[in-house]
């Protein structure tokens, strides 16, 4: 009996120590942020090779992943191990208490056959490459790679690629040119994979996320590389207690809608030690319409620290959807190098919500093409092929959903080289960009120091140096 009690005590101590691994990030915060808790899993392991998996890059392993997860479910959960190899597959669905673990030389490669991902309940929607819905205790860990084979899904704008790249798309994948040769769609594939819609434009709208967790609790993604998504790469939404640690996200710089890490309606989240080099937003917070039964609505209690963003439309981004609000968010000790914008707050009518208790500290950035810091309240989503000159219209209900950027505190930012240091504009008559403090920062620009519409945006700058770059 004493031996059993001693063993139990040791196990409990180990679990407690493990659960406190992330406490070091929550020291000296400028506002109180609820701390994440690392999910725990039963000590069961199944290798995908035990359930028929073959990592030769040719064999389709969709059924093997499903069987491995089912085998673990019967044991109460555990780790599905993916060893060295290239594991071609259709969609993978995680269940409660499942950890998907990729060894260092393991590559999970999503099949270029888009028909495998079509949701049978909706002919116009596709499953994410790896997904979970309404699940608890799920994880993706290891040192391997998850590749979405996104070139078989994404449209490409002619002005964003070289002649060599443009011809390679047509030679390798096939596809069709539209808009007078200004746009290419991966439609009518040379390999004979079926189209999943009757036009390139309709098929483009069916692009899926690579990793998506919806209405889940206790989520961990650690160590892996996630790359080349059809759309967004890593997308937890309406979920609670989400940890992203040491993840690399990468795709071509011109990948349409190639967001890296998007927290959409996440409560209690942590993003640390991660590297992004992507085609759209880097570290992005979003919030959509209310879902009463979801574990989380809006973004709250989120800490983002010790991350690096290379190319992205923005290093840290809020929006464009902020409907349910953004509260108690801390971003600190991050570096952005080569992003289009540094700190980007974007939204518009029909997409907006309120912010509060947001602190951004100790950010270094260089080679920023546009603005180092920008507040934008007229953002519009313009999909590939849409008219860039179309004048938007809004319903009365959409006009009621306006963005309110407020109670935002930015300090200790150093930027070497941005087109514009600070740009801000709100919506006339709403007083919706206010209580914004920027302090103790140095921003070097090469075009304009600031573009602040004082009629619609109120920013307080304290000890901020705006320095023209020497030519």
């Amino acid at each position: 009996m004493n031996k059993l009690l001693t063993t139990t005590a040791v196990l409990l101590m180990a679990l407690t120590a493990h659960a406190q691994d992330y406490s070091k990030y929550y020291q000296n915060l400028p506002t109180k942020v609820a701390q994440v808790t690392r999910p725990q899993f039963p000590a069961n392991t199944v290798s995908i090779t035990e359930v028929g998996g073959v990592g030769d890059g040719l064999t389709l392993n969709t059924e093997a992943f499903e069987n491995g997860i089912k085998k673990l479910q019967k044991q109460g959960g555990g780790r599905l191990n993916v060893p060295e190899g290239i594991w071609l597959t259709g969609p993978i669905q995680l269940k409660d208490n499942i950890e998907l673990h990729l060894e260092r030389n393991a590559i999970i490669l999503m099949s270029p056959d888009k028909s495998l991902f079509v949701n049978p309940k909706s002919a116009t929607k596709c499953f994410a490459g790896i997904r979970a819905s309404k699940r608890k205790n799920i994880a993706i860990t290891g040192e391997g790679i998850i590749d979405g084979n996104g070139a078989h899904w994404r449209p490409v704008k002619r002005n964003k690629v070289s002649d060599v790249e443009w011809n390679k798309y047509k030679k390798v994948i096939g596809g069709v040119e539209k808009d007078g040769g200004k746009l290419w769609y991966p439609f009518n594939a040379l390999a004979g994979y079926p189209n999943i819609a009757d036009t390139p434009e309709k098929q483009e709208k069916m692009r899926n996320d690579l990793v998506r967790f919806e209405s889940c609790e206790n989520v961990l993604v650690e160590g892996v590389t996630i790359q080349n998504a059809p759309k967004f790469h890593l997308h937890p939404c309406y979920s609670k207690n989400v940890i992203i640690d040491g993840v690399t996200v990468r795709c071509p710089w011109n990948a349409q809608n190639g967001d890296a890490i998007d927290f959409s309606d996440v409560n209690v989240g942590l993003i640390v030690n991660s590297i992004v080099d992507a085609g759209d937003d880097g570290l992005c917070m979003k919030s959509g319409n209310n879902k009463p039964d979801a574990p989380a609505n809006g973004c709250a209690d989120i800490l983002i620290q010790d991350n690096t963003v290379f190319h992205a439309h923005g290093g840290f981004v809020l929006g464009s959807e902020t409907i349910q609000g953004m509260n108690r968010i801390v971003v600190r000790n991050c570096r952005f190098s080569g992003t289009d914008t540094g700190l980007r707050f974007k939204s518009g009518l029909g997409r907006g919500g309120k912010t509060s208790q947001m602190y951004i500290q100790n950010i270094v950035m260089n080679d920023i093409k546009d603005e180092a810091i920008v507040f934008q309240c007229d953002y519009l989503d313009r999909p590939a092929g849409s008219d860039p000159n179309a004048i938007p219209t809004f319903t009365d209900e959409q006009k009621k959903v306006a963005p309110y950027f407020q109670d935002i505190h930015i300090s200790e930012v150093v930027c070497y080289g941005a087109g514009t240091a600070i740009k801000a504009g709100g919506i006339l008559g709403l007083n919706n960009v206010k209580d914004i403090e920027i302090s103790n920062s140095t921003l070097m620009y090469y075009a304009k120091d600031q573009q602040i519409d004082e009629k619609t945006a109120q920013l307080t700058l304290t000890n901020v140096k705006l320095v023209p770059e020497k030519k």
Side-chain angles (χ1 to χ4, degrees):
M1 179 64 72
N2 288 338
K3 184 177 180 180
L4 177 61
L5 288 173
T6 301
T7 302
T8 302
V10 169
L11 287 172
L12 286 173
M13 288 173 63
L15 287 173
T16 301
H18 206 182
Q20 293 177 346
D21 283 349
Y22 294 104
S23 63
K24 63 182 180 181
Y25 297 109
Y26 290 83
Q27 305 302 313
N28 303 314
L29 292 175
T31 189
K32 187 176 181 180
V33 176
Q35 183 177 321
V36 295
T37 302
R38 186 184 179 97
Q40 303 296 317
F41 300 91
N44 304 313
T45 299
V46 170
S47 173
I48 192 171
T49 58
E50 298 174 32
V51 287
V54 180
D56 60 2
L58 300 172
T59 304
L60 191 66
N61 289 283
T62 314
E63 187 174 350
F65 279 105
E66 182 178 354
N67 289 339
I69 291 168
K70 284 181 179 178
K71 186 173 181 178
L72 283 167
Q73 278 188 290
K74 292 178 181 179
Q75 302 174 38
R79 170 181 284 187
L80 178 59
N81 193 65
V82 183
E84 178 177 340
I86 297 179
W87 306 88
L88 187 70
T89 185
I92 299 169
Q93 185 176 16
L94 300 183
K95 304 290 186 177
D96 291 340
N97 302 311
I98 297 295
E99 175 190 359
L100 179 64
H101 183 82
L102 287 74
E103 294 184 6
R104 180 174 177 81
N105 288 334
I107 299 176
I108 293 178
L109 179 64
M110 297 300 155
S111 171
D113 184 354
K114 293 183 282 291
S115 66
L116 297 175
F117 298 86
V118 176
N119 185 339
K121 296 181 180 179
S122 174
T124 61
K125 295 183 179 180
C126 288
F127 290 129
I130 300 176
R131 74 186 193 278
S133 178
K134 299 179 180 178
R135 296 297 174 182
K136 294 183 178 181
N137 300 328
I138 53 175
I140 302 174
T141 64
E143 298 180 80
I145 295 173
I146 301 168
D147 192 307
N149 232 333
H152 291 268
W153 293 80
R154 297 188 303 261
V156 178
K157 295 178 179 178
R158 180 64 184 87
N159 63 358
K160 289 191 173 183
V161 294
S162 67
D163 290 345
V164 172
E165 292 169 304
W166 185 256
N167 291 327
K168 184 178 178 180
Y169 281 115
K170 294 189 291 183
K171 182 179 180 180
V172 175
I173 299 177
V176 297
E177 293 183 19
K178 304 283 283 189
D179 195 18
K182 296 179 181 179
L183 195 61
W184 173 88
Y185 289 95
F187 195 76
N188 295 336
L190 290 175
Y193 300 116
N195 298 318
I196 56 175
D198 56 9
T199 69
E201 293 83 0
K202 289 180 181 178
Q203 181 168 279
E204 189 272 335
K205 292 180 180 178
M206 296 174 68
R207 285 187 293 143
N208 55 353
D209 295 341
L210 181 46
V211 179
R212 180 185 178 94
F213 303 124
E214 185 166 352
S215 296
C216 293
E217 296 184 57
N218 307 331
V219 175
L220 171 67
V221 183
E222 182 180 55
V224 294
T225 294
I226 300 173
Q227 65 183 28
N228 203 20
K231 196 176 180 182
F232 298 166
H233 286 78
L234 180 49
H235 191 193
C237 50
Y238 296 100
S239 295
K240 185 175 182 179
N241 194 44
V242 179
I243 301 167
I244 311 297
D245 185 2
V247 170
T248 298
V249 180
R250 57 190 296 269
C251 69
W253 73 271
N254 50 18
Q256 189 77 16
N257 304 116
D259 286 23
I261 301 174
D262 282 8
F263 272 15
S264 297
D265 293 278
V266 169
N267 287 180
V268 191
L270 179 68
I271 304 174
V272 291
N273 308 317
S274 294
I275 297 173
V276 165
D277 193 346
D280 209 309
D281 293 333
L283 309 170
C284 185
M285 307 290 105
K286 297 178 180 288
S287 174
N289 293 320
N290 182 59
K291 290 191 175 183
D293 297 330
N297 279 278
C299 284
D301 293 304
I302 294 171
L303 175 58
I304 300 171
Q305 181 172 320
D306 301 335
N307 302 292
T308 299
V309 180
F310 293 110
H311 186 269
H313 284 186
F316 170 73
V317 181
L318 218 64
S320 63
E321 303 88 353
T322 58
I323 295 172
Q324 298 300 313
M326 303 277 162
N327 306 296
R328 298 183 302 282
I329 297 175
V330 175
V331 184
R332 61 182 184 177
N333 305 341
C334 293
R335 55 186 180 175
F336 309 147
S337 182
T339 59
D340 289 349
T341 59
L343 303 173
R344 187 183 188 191
F345 304 82
K346 61 173 182 176
S347 193
L349 292 177
R351 296 170 173 266
K354 295 183 178 180
T355 64
S356 72
Q357 299 181 67
M358 182 170 297
Y359 292 83
I360 302 172
Q361 304 172 325
N362 300 315
I363 307 296
V364 295
M365 47 178 126
N366 77 307
D367 190 21
I368 308 300
K369 181 172 73 72
D370 299 317
E371 300 88 8
I373 302 172
V374 58
F375 293 86
Q376 177 187 5
C377 295
D378 60 354
Y379 179 84
L380 295 172
D381 183 24
R382 297 190 185 277
S386 62
D387 182 359
N389 300 313
I391 298 174
T393 59
F394 299 97
T395 66
D396 289 340
E397 287 301 312
Q398 286 177 318
K399 291 177 182 178
K400 295 177 183 177
V401 187
Y404 284 84
F405 294 132
Q406 58 192 29
D407 196 6
I408 298 174
H409 311 271
I410 301 170
S411 62
E412 286 82 41
V413 176
V414 176
C415 176
Y416 185 97
T420 299
I422 303 172
K423 183 177 180 179
I427 299 173
L428 192 64
L430 290 186
N431 191 28
N432 67 323
V433 179
K434 60 182 181 179
D435 300 327
I436 311 294
E437 299 177 349
I438 305 175
S439 64
N440 303 324
S441 298
T442 300
L443 309 176
M444 183 180 292
Y445 64 91
Y446 60 81
K448 295 182 181 179
D449 57 352
Q450 55 183 297
Q451 290 179 273
I452 300 174
D453 182 357
E454 295 182 356
K455 294 180 180 179
T456 62
Q458 288 77 53
L459 279 64
T460 301
L461 277 59
T462 304
N463 192 28
V464 174
K465 300 176 183 178
L466 305 180
V467 183
E469 184 177 339
K470 293 182 179 180
K471 296 182 180 180

